[in-house]
Amino acid sequence: MLATVDRSNTLVDLPTVRRRRARAAAAPASAAAPVSPVSPASTADVLRVVADPRTPTYVTVFANGRRRYSYWRPIDPATGSGGCYAALPTAECDELQASGRITLGEPVVDPNRTTYRVRTAARVPQAPARPAVAPERRRVA
């Protein structure tokens, strides 16, 4: 407000506080469809972020056992947003690690936390269902 004292003709649009809806006005919990804690779409999004080499992804394990997966969000020139760390859903990341689709790198240990680099697991080429065999050629003499 002090910045606008000398400028009486300039109006400043300040952000307003968002009000939460009352609990009674909210829809009852039983009416909502049951939501699975891990959806395939969100798991695919997490795997896409981890696989992108432009977004370094880390997991921080704190001394109390809490895990936090995060990645560096680069600046988007179109919107100007980004340039900060963003969190990933822990449940999806833990599921990907348990299934072997992501791996943890070497630890960086601090007194209160340990940080690991998260990468996608190296894909093992699968053998084809039927081996491709060329048909035998018979020589006619």
Side-chain angles (χ1 to χ4, degrees):
M1 196 65 173
L2 294 176
T4 61
V5 170
D6 296 333
R7 301 182 215 161
S8 59
N9 295 335
T10 306
L11 296 176
V12 178
D13 187 18
L14 298 175
T16 58
V17 177
R18 293 183 182 175
R19 306 257 178 191
R20 290 186 177 183
R21 295 188 326 178
R23 289 184 188 235
S30 61
V35 178
S36 66
V38 178
S39 68
S42 62
T43 302
D45 289 339
V46 169
L47 196 57
R48 180 186 49 81
V49 169
V50 172
D52 187 2
R54 297 175 298 158
T55 57
T57 308
Y58 301 94
V59 61
T60 303
V61 182
F62 292 93
N64 63 1
R66 184 174 67 103
R67 301 164 66 93
R68 174 57 89 194
Y69 292 84
S70 60
Y71 69 99
W72 178 256
R73 182 179 292 167
I75 294 178
D76 182 15
T79 62
S81 64
C84 60
Y85 281 98
L88 292 170
T90 304
E92 282 86 347
C93 294
D94 285 340
E95 181 181 299
L96 286 171
Q97 184 185 6
S99 65
R101 298 193 65 187
I102 60 174
T103 59
L104 304 182
E106 295 294 320
V108 176
V109 180
D110 289 337
N112 294 324
R113 63 181 171 241
T114 303
T115 305
Y116 301 89
R117 175 74 188 259
V118 178
R119 291 192 172 98
T120 55
R123 287 238 185 229
V124 177
Q126 296 180 354
R130 282 188 344 187
V133 177
E136 286 186 30
R137 291 186 186 179
R138 295 188 180 183
R139 287 191 144 175
V140 178

